[in-house]
């Protein structure tokens, strides 16, 4: 490939393997980007989050395929009935009374605050035989004596003390038989022995895992054949070596004239259940023996790849696994996983951009700029070593002919990348003039959130050898491609079940694979775990005109369209901005807006002014907005864009949300082409605009007299690591949960824990007080915190929970406070076992025992309805609670609030406040780039 004008030079960076003396590896992170709520024939620039529901939806107009008659208000499984069932007769005694059942169950049966050490939730006292109020008495609690696998400080109201394992289980709902994708790891002998952990050092240091493995296997006479090594520095043995520090020497595997000194230092003895790392290493050996290869900690079968040649895609089937000690013992969590790879390389993309520039011309930027923008943030696979790397930069000064320093026989030698790949991988690089891709690895956080390590040394990658993973926006917007991908990856429950059974059979029937477990005294159970779950009822929905609806199957779309909105906002003064070409579409949209608004109960008092933009430049749209919006008068502006261009969308959202504080709605012109669908599109627009102007579509009935504030919080990270991360906090600020306070703040890149939450939370509490008729603060505060991984739980409690508690102290209030972490990216699956078939569980299904955490008050909840694939439960972890909230109550709260997301007439996967926070953080982080105007804080401007 000629004509790139790339300079050659001597590189100081390293290849992606470990041939040099530096620390090597690739970083891994979460990708970003917008999804689409409505199908591709509707507008796509708004409402980009419902991909979480794993179903292709058409918005509010989608009809239920299996509609059933509505349940009556006296349904035994409705929200009020289930809360009343909590008020079972109990004998209340003095606060000093305490009783222990013969089975070891500890119960506290008193009113008021429980004494230290008593666990439990609340019992409902009925007020006027209608609405119950929480009184502090405990939930059923089982205490087991067992060895804990988790370390760290105990969490208030959330984790057990010492070695005790607390199971906090609810009682409401109907029981259902289920199975889950967990497999028990059984011990072959009652006397389990243990495992001894050692730290291994090599001198000279060995940069390759393969070399380190080779050295340890050469010492089998000393350590025996049963060893478990992670390829780095951790070694596990089934016995204790004679000395605390063992010094050994062996010939160098790559240079027999040299030797390697090995120092093996004893760290500790553990029970088999205590070392999760031990099992992860063991699983790597199992999957290698089964012929699977590892990609980003998951394992894939390269022998059974699904080829999609017409779209240049490959779909790799495989498994994602994790071993943990759960409440009912040691288990392997295993689920089917798929990796979508592209068969074209990064070099193919660069060549195409060069060709376009030379033959067609590029009016916005040259090929170098376009390629860099395309490459940054991409995760690529290098098939010569089956590793993944994130692209952080493009080095135009280096080429495959550039050299780096490699140690040979103890001497530094300059080696070109061409020579390195030919010698080590037998790979011939054909284009010596291509630039190099740069990956920097992931920044790691130290003990304090403000203390960050420097990134590791850069790694250079050859574009010709880098295959792009994932799918571009162009691919995801192509219905035909996505249908092919979905057919292979969105598999039904029965197929997942059979894949798990096949995996178990492969492990237990192949002698070499089975022996990997057996030599450590372990075996896989013959099937996945079977257990009972519960299905709790949905809340009652209150629509306009006091219409009361009980959702069927998690949806109430038909009822919404037959009713009026709960709190309409009259449409009086608004604008439509469009190009001259789109003016006919704009007129058609305006006509339909007026026709659909009135049946929804939204007063429509006049058509808008149409502002024509002569050219499709960002500056032209900006000028049209600034010159025609009258702050305080113009209610909202509808912008019709000629194409799906991010630069136009960005300028509209920045002007409206940051500069002028006016609601905005963006529609792609193509969406309005089909006259038969324009009415449906404008119906959705009318509903969204009503919300953005401060109105409400519906609410839920929570049968409690307490004033409750629900909060949601999430963090957006720039996938290209250029911009600061954005934290969004969304709080309900009235007792009907229809008004919201929203605030976005910026923080350090890739920082998940929020260290500047205090002023935001204070402002939310004060805003609640302003909206309360009596000027009161909330009696109960429920925080749903999204985006926190297992490794960040303690940090979240330390920084975020503490800040929120300090706000209560400053305001002189003491509300009941529950801080719950919401985890969506989990591998747990729940299947309904009908006895003759395996299928998806229904919305409202709860699982709070057996496979939940040992040291946390947690549960799984399926709140959404899907029609394709296998449903994903959401994991809730109560990180802090000062109210002894009953499991049934927090589970009801989580399910009920999932119905309050105004972009979907039904339940979604997480509480609505979490989804609002996700939307707000994404909009500000991706497009606005600065904090929205304070005047927008009480509006759902991000819908």
């Amino acid at each position: 490939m000629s004509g790139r004008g790339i300079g050659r030079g001597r590189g100081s960076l390293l290849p992606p393997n470990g041939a040099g003396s530096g620390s090597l590896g690739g970083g891994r992170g979460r990708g970003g980007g917008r999804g689409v709520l409505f199908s591709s024939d509707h507008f796509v620039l708004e409402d980009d989050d419902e991909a979480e529901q794993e179903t292709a939806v058409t918005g509010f107009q989608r009809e239920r395929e299996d509609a059933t008659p509505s349940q009556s208000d006296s349904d035994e499984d409705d929200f009020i009935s289930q809360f009343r069932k909590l008020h079972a007769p109990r004998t209340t005694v003095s606060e000093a009374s305490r009783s222990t059942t013969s089975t070891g169950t500890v119960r506290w049966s008193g009113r008021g605050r429980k004494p230290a050490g008593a666990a439990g939730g609340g019992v409902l006292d009925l007020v006027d035989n209608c609405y119950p109020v929480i009184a502090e008495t405990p939930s059923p609690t089982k205490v087991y004596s067992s060895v804990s696998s988790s370390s760290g400080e105990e969490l208030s109201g959330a984790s057990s003390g010492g070695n005790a394992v607390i199971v906090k289980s609810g009682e409401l709902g109907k029981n259902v038989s289920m199975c889950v994708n967990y497999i028990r790891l059984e011990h072959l002998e009652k006397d389990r022995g243990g495992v001894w952990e050692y730290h291994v050092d090599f001198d000279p240091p060995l940069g390759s895992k393969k070399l380190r493995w080779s050295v340890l296997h050469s010492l089998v006479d000393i350590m025996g054949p049963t060893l478990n090594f992670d390829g780095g520095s951790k070694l596990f043995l089934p016995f204790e070596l004679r000395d605390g520090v063992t010094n050994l020497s062996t010939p160098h595997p790559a240079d027999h004239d040299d030797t390697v000194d090995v120092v093996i230092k004893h760290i500790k003895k553990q029970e088999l259940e205590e070392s999760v790392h031990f099992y992860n290493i063991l699983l790597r050996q199992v999957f290698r023996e089964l012929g699977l290869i590892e990609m980003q900690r998951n394992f894939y079968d390269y022998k059974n790849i699904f080829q999609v040649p017409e779209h240049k895609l490959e779909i790799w089937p495989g498994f994602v696994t994790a071993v943990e000690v759960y409440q009912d013992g040691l288990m392997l969590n295993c689920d089917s996983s798929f990796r979508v790879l592209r068969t074209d390389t990064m070099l193919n993309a660069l060549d195409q951009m060069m060709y376009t520039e030379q033959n067609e011309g590029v009016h916005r930027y040259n090929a170098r700029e376009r390629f860099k923008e395309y490459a940054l943030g991409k995760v690529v696979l290098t098939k010569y070593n089956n590793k993944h790397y994130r692209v952080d930069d493009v080095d135009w000064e280096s080429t495959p002919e550039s050299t780096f320093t490699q140690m040979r026989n103890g001497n530094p030698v300059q080696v070109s990348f061409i020579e390195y790949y030919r010698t080590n991988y037998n790979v011939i690089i054909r284009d010596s003039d291509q630039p190099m891709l740069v990956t920097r690895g992931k920044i790691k956080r130290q003990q304090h959130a403000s203390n960050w390590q420097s990134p590791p040394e850069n790694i250079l990658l050859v574009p010709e050898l880098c295959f792009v993973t994932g799918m571009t926006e162009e691919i995801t917007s192509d219905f035909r491609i996505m249908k092919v991908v979905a057919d292979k990856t969105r598999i039904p429950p029965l197929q997942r079940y059979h894949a798990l059974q096949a995996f178990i059979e492969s492990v237990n029937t192949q002698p070499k694979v089975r022996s990997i477990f057996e030599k450590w005294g372990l075996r896989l159970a013959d099937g996945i775990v079977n257990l009972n779950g519960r299905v709790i009822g949905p809340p009652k929905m209150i629509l306009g005109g006091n219409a009361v609806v009980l959702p069927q199957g998690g949806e109430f779309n038909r009822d919404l369209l037959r009713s009026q909105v709960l709190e309409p906002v009259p449409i009086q003064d608004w604008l439509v901005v469009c190009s001259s070409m789109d003016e006919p579409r704009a007129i058609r949209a305006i006509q339909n807006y007026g026709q659909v608004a009135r049946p929804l109960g939204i007063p429509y008092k006049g058509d808008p002014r149409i502002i024509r933009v002569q050219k499709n430049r960002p500056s032209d749209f900006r000028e049209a907005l600034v010159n025609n919006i009258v702050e305080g008068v113009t209610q909202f502006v509808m912008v019709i864009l000629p194409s799906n261009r991010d630069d136009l969308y960005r300028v509209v959202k920045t002007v409206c949300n940051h500069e002028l504080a006016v609601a905005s709605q963006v529609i792609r012109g193509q969406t309005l082409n089909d006259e038969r669908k324009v009415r449906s599109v404008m119906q959705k627009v009318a509903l969204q605009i009503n919300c953005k102007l401060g109105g409400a579509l519906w609410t839920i009935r929570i049968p409690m007299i307490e004033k409750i504030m629900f909060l949601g919080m999430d963090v957006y990270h720039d996938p290209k690591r250029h911009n600061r991360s954005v934290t969004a906090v969304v709080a309900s600020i009235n007792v009907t949960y229809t008004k919201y306070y929203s605030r976005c703040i910026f923080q350090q890149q890739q920082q998940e824990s929020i260290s500047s939450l205090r002023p935001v939370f204070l402002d939310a509490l004060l805003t609640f007080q302003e909206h309360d008729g009596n000027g009161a603060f909330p009696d109960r505060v429920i925080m749903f915190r999204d985006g926190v991984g297992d490794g960040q739980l303690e940090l979240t409690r330390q920084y975020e929970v503490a800040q929120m508690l300090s706000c209560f102290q400053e305001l002189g209030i003491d509300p009941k406070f529950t801080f719950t972490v919401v985890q969506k990216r989990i591998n747990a699956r729940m299947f309904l076992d009908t006895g003759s078939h395996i299928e998806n569980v229904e919305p409202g299904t709860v699982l709070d025992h057996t496979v939940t955490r040992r040291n946390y008050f947690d549960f799984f909840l399926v709140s959404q309805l899907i029609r394709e694939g296998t449903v994903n439960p959401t994991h809730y972890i109560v990180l802090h609670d000062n109210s002894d909230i009953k499991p049934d109550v927090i589970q009801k709260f989580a399910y009920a609030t999932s119905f309050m997301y105004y972009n979907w007439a039904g339940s979604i996967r997480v509480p609505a406040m979490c989804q609002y926070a996700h939307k707000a953080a994404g909009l500000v982080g991706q497009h606005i780039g600065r904090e929205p105007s304070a005047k927008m804080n009480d509006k759902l401007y991000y819908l």
Side-chain angles (χ1 to χ4, degrees):
M1 186 176 74
S2 61
R4 295 196 186 109
I6 302 171
R8 291 180 170 82
R10 184 178 297 276
S12 61
L13 305 179
L14 299 174
N17 179 51
S21 59
S23 174
L24 300 176
R28 187 176 76 158
R30 283 162 49 178
R34 297 204 311 263
V36 180
L37 168 59
F38 302 117
S39 59
S40 57
D41 56 342
H42 289 191
F43 55 102
V44 299
L45 288 177
E46 309 278 55
D47 312 310
D48 46 29
D49 42 7
E50 296 307 316
E52 295 286 351
Q53 299 191 47
E54 293 191 26
T55 178
V57 299
T58 316
F60 288 92
Q61 287 292 71
R62 192 180 72 174
E63 299 287 347
R64 276 181 49 82
E65 299 167 2
D66 53 351
T68 55
S70 299
Q71 294 175 330
S72 67
D73 290 350
S74 62
D75 191 318
E76 193 61 24
D77 200 31
D78 71 11
F79 204 80
I80 293 179
S81 297
Q82 293 202 22
F83 266 102
R84 283 176 173 167
K85 287 166 69 177
L86 288 173
H87 190 55
R90 291 176 183 261
T91 302
T92 58
V93 295
S94 66
E95 195 166 1
S97 299
R98 199 165 178 231
S99 62
T100 306
T101 67
S102 59
T103 59
T105 300
V106 179
R107 299 180 183 272
W108 170 251
S109 305
R111 292 192 178 276
R113 189 78 60 175
K114 70 173 179 60
V123 172
L124 297 178
D125 288 337
L126 295 182
V127 179
D128 296 331
N129 295 320
C130 181
Y131 294 101
V133 60
I134 294 290
E136 304 300 333
T137 46
S139 60
T141 303
K142 299 179 182 178
V143 181
Y144 300 93
S145 177
S146 180
V147 178
S148 171
S149 65
S150 303
S151 60
E153 188 177 351
E154 305 298 326
L155 305 186
S156 173
S159 62
S160 63
N163 289 331
V165 178
I166 297 180
V167 182
K168 301 192 77 171
S169 300
E171 301 173 341
L172 297 182
K174 65 178 181 182
N175 290 328
V176 291
S177 296
M178 301 192 309
C179 51
V180 290
N181 62 332
Y182 291 78
I183 309 165
R184 296 185 188 276
L185 275 169
E186 301 171 344
H187 295 275
L188 297 176
E189 301 176 2
K190 291 184 179 181
D191 183 11
R192 305 174 184 178
V195 59
W196 280 259
E197 180 182 338
Y198 292 87
H199 180 86
V200 184
D201 285 316
F202 301 90
D203 186 22
L206 302 176
S208 166
K209 283 186 179 182
K210 187 175 181 180
L211 293 178
R212 293 190 288 268
W213 263 105
S214 179
V215 167
L216 283 186
H217 279 293
S218 69
L219 302 173
V220 66
D221 292 340
I222 298 173
M223 293 184 293
T226 305
L227 58 87
N228 201 2
F229 180 54
D230 69 352
S233 61
K234 277 194 176 183
L235 171 67
F236 296 94
L237 295 175
F239 61 88
E240 185 178 11
L241 295 177
R242 184 180 59 185
D243 301 319
V245 178
T246 303
N247 294 280
L248 303 169
S249 184
T250 185
H252 196 295
D255 185 357
H256 295 294
D257 295 331
D258 198 1
T259 59
V260 177
D261 294 327
V262 183
V263 180
I264 305 174
K265 184 183 299 184
H266 179 255
I267 302 298
K268 59 184 175 181
K269 179 188 176 182
Q270 304 176 79
E271 297 298 326
L272 279 173
E273 290 87 350
E274 293 182 285
S275 179
V276 174
H277 189 60
F278 165 82
Y279 289 102
N280 290 330
I281 301 171
L282 208 62
L283 281 172
R284 288 194 184 101
Q285 298 179 33
V286 168
F287 281 110
R288 288 194 194 103
E289 193 64 43
L290 289 173
L292 277 67
I293 63 173
E294 185 174 3
M295 293 188 199
Q296 288 188 303
R297 302 180 185 177
N298 299 337
F299 301 90
Y300 295 94
D301 185 358
Y302 66 94
K303 298 177 183 177
N304 292 295
I305 298 174
F306 304 122
Q307 299 286 347
V308 191
E310 64 272 25
H311 302 303
K312 298 182 178 179
L313 296 177
E314 292 179 345
I315 301 174
W316 292 39
F319 295 97
V320 53
T321 61
V323 176
E324 183 63 85
V325 182
Y326 299 96
Q327 287 189 352
D328 201 31
L330 182 66
M331 301 184 204
L332 167 66
N333 175 222
C334 183
D335 189 30
S336 297
S337 176
F338 297 89
R339 190 77 183 179
V340 179
L341 303 178
R342 311 238 285 278
T343 56
D344 51 350
T345 66
M346 294 294 287
L347 181 60
N348 296 143
L350 177 58
D351 285 341
Q352 181 61 42
M353 293 176 188
M354 288 289 185
Y355 175 85
T356 302
E357 181 184 40
Q358 293 171 3
N359 295 277
E360 301 177 15
V362 179
H363 68 283
R364 292 177 60 198
Y365 14 65
N366 61 34
R368 282 194 178 195
E369 293 172 339
R370 293 176 61 217
F371 179 72
K372 184 173 182 178
E373 181 178 333
Y374 167 83
L376 294 188
K378 286 283 190 299
V379 177
V380 297
L381 169 70
T382 51
K383 291 187 178 181
Y384 53 82
N385 60 357
N386 287 317
K387 289 187 178 181
H388 282 73
Y389 303 92
R390 175 183 292 275
V391 179
D392 294 309
D393 202 357
V394 180
D395 185 352
W396 297 96
E397 301 302 319
S398 298
T399 71
E401 292 184 341
S402 300
T403 61
F404 63 93
T405 303
Q406 185 178 31
M407 300 300 295
R408 290 183 180 176
N409 299 324
N411 299 315
V413 178
Q414 293 299 314
V415 180
S416 71
F417 287 92
I418 292 177
E419 179 185 355
Y420 171 80
Y421 283 103
R422 182 176 61 248
T423 303
N424 289 272
Y425 297 104
N426 195 28
V427 172
I428 305 299
I429 297 176
R430 304 185 183 283
D431 191 329
S432 62
D433 199 31
Q434 58 191 301
M436 302 293 282
L437 305 177
V438 181
T439 181
R440 299 193 180 101
K442 193 173 183 179
I443 300 175
K444 295 184 178 179
R445 181 169 45 228
Q446 292 181 335
Q447 183 176 3
H448 300 290
S450 59
N451 189 9
W452 298 82
Q453 294 178 342
S454 298
E457 191 167 2
N458 292 345
I459 300 170
L460 290 183
L461 303 171
V462 181
E464 183 180 333
L465 306 179
C466 295
F467 293 84
V468 186
T469 67
M471 295 177 287
T472 64
E473 186 175 343
E474 180 182 359
I475 292 176
T476 56
S477 61
D478 190 318
F479 175 77
R480 295 172 302 170
I481 300 179
M482 294 308 297
K483 187 178 185 306
V484 173
V485 173
D487 288 342
K488 298 295 184 182
T489 62
R490 195 172 292 171
I491 60 177
L494 184 60
Q495 191 171 339
R496 285 186 189 274
Y497 176 83
H498 287 321
L500 286 170
Q501 292 299 129
F503 166 72
I504 294 172
E505 184 178 353
S506 297
V507 172
N508 289 340
T509 58
Q510 295 186 31
K512 286 186 178 181
V513 181
R514 187 176 66 243
S515 68
I516 296 174
F517 283 119
E518 288 179 344
K519 65 185 180 183
W520 289 96
L522 299 167
R523 73 177 296 274
L524 273 187
D526 293 328
I528 62 177
V529 173
N530 294 280
L531 38 68
N532 287 330
R534 294 177 293 112
V535 180
I536 58 178
K540 288 185 177 179
M541 314 302 301
I542 312 299
L543 306 178
N546 293 321
V548 180
V549 174
L550 193 64
Q552 297 294 308
E555 294 180 354
F556 56 98
N557 181 54
R558 284 183 176 180
D559 300 291
L560 174 66
L561 296 179
R562 292 170 181 170
S563 305
Q564 297 183 349
V565 300
L566 183 66
E567 298 175 11
V569 178
I571 303 301
Q572 297 174 328
D573 193 298
W574 58 299
L575 303 175
V576 173
V577 177
C578 63
S579 65
S580 300
M581 180 182 65
D582 285 326
E583 186 173 355
R585 299 186 181 99
I587 294 173
R588 189 183 307 131
I590 294 168
Q591 293 171 346
N592 280 270
Y593 196 115
Q595 294 171 7
V596 301
R598 295 183 183 92
L600 293 171
I602 302 173
Y604 186 84
K605 299 184 178 180
D607 290 340
R609 288 186 295 135
I610 299 179
I611 310 301
R612 300 166 189 81
V613 177
Q614 299 304 318
K615 297 182 179 179
N616 297 329
R617 298 176 303 188
S619 59
D620 297 316
F621 278 88
R622 177 184 177 80
E623 182 179 355
L625 294 169
V626 172
N627 291 342
N628 291 279
I629 292 175
V630 180
E631 195 168 356
V633 177
T634 304
Q635 288 179 288
F636 73 95
V637 56
M638 185 168 69
V639 181
I640 301 176
L641 296 182
S643 62
N644 192 11
R645 282 174 51 183
D646 278 349
D647 57 340
L648 298 181
Y649 184 82
R650 186 178 300 114
V651 74
V652 171
K653 290 301 180 181
T654 301
V655 170
C656 293
N657 295 311
H658 174 70
E659 300 176 18
L660 301 180
V662 64
S664 60
Q665 185 77 26
V666 176
I667 305 177
R668 193 175 62 183
Q670 185 179 356
T671 306
L672 304 171
N673 281 342
D674 192 338
E675 296 185 16
R676 296 170 299 177
K677 297 181 179 180
V678 173
R679 181 181 177 87
S680 174
V681 172
M682 298 314 297
Q683 196 170 48
K684 302 177 185 71
V685 170
L687 292 169
Q688 282 197 335
I689 288 297
N690 190 71
C691 297
K692 292 181 179 182
L693 295 179
L697 306 184
W698 63 78
T699 189
I700 53 176
R701 177 181 293 174
I702 294 182
M704 298 177 68
I705 62 173
E706 292 179 321
K707 295 178 179 179
I708 306 175
M709 171 189 270
F710 291 106
L711 296 102
M713 188 159 50
D714 200 2
V715 180
Y716 168 80
H717 299 302
D718 179 12
K720 297 182 180 180
R721 301 185 181 180
H722 282 172
N723 302 319
R724 292 179 297 166
S725 297
V726 179
T727 296
V729 177
V730 176
S732 62
I733 53 176
N734 66 344
V735 294
T736 56
Y737 326 111
T738 58
K739 305 292 184 185
Y740 294 91
Y741 165 91
S742 306
R743 181 84 177 272
C744 293
I745 56 176
F746 289 85
Q747 59 192 63
Q748 290 179 330
Q749 294 180 20
Q750 305 300 310
Q751 183 181 353
E752 189 64 58
S753 183
I754 305 168
S755 58
S756 54
L757 174 65
R758 195 168 180 274
V760 177
F761 190 51
L762 274 173
D763 199 17
L765 287 168
L766 292 171
T767 305
F768 185 100
Q769 183 190 36
E770 291 173 5
H771 281 73
D772 185 77
N774 298 318
F777 288 104
D779 302 312
R780 183 184 291 273
V781 177
I782 306 289
M783 166 63 81
F784 291 113
R785 171 65 160 98
D786 202 354
V788 177
D790 289 346
Q792 299 165 324
L793 293 175
E794 276 297 310
L795 196 65
T796 300
R797 186 175 75 92
Q798 178 183 353
Y799 282 91
E800 299 177 16
V801 174
Q803 289 178 78
M804 299 175 77
L805 293 173
S806 71
C807 293
F808 300 144
Q809 185 177 7
E810 179 173 334
L811 295 173
I813 60 176
D814 186 24
K816 299 170 184 176
F817 174 48
T818 305
F819 190 107
T820 304
V821 168
V822 180
Q823 296 180 333
K824 297 176 297 189
R825 302 187 177 211
I826 61 173
N827 301 316
R829 300 278 184 166
M830 295 152 54
F831 312 118
L832 181 64
D833 187 355
T834 65
S836 60
H837 197 65
I838 299 294
E839 57 190 48
N840 277 322
V841 297
E842 60 183 291
T845 300
V846 175
L847 179 60
D848 54 12
H849 60 88
T850 306
V851 295
T852 49
R853 301 295 175 82
R854 295 162 62 86
N855 293 329
Y856 288 103
F857 170 13
D858 66 323
F859 60 91
F860 296 95
L861 169 65
V862 171
S863 54
Q864 77 278 23
L865 172 70
I866 72 163
R867 302 188 186 281
E868 297 180 5
T870 307
V871 69
N872 276 98
T874 301
H875 189 206
Y876 293 83
I877 303 174
V878 179
L879 201 58
H880 175 92
D881 175 55
N882 66 1
S883 66
D884 298 325
I885 193 167
K886 193 175 180 69
D888 286 309
V889 175
I890 187 63
Q891 291 164 9
K892 273 292 190 181
F893 283 159
Y895 188 36
T897 53
S898 72
F899 284 85
M900 282 304 297
Y901 184 57
Y902 286 146
N903 268 350
W904 178 248
S907 57
I908 60 173
R909 190 176 174 190
V910 297
M913 300 77 197
C914 282
Q915 193 64 23
Y916 288 141
H918 174 78
K919 289 277 292 181
L923 175 64
V924 173
Q926 287 180 276
H927 301 292
I928 301 178
R930 60 206 78 179
E931 190 169 342
S933 169
K935 296 178 182 179
M936 305 297 289
N937 286 354
D938 62 346
K939 304 292 191 301
L940 297 176
Y941 59 88
Y942 36 80
L943 282 183

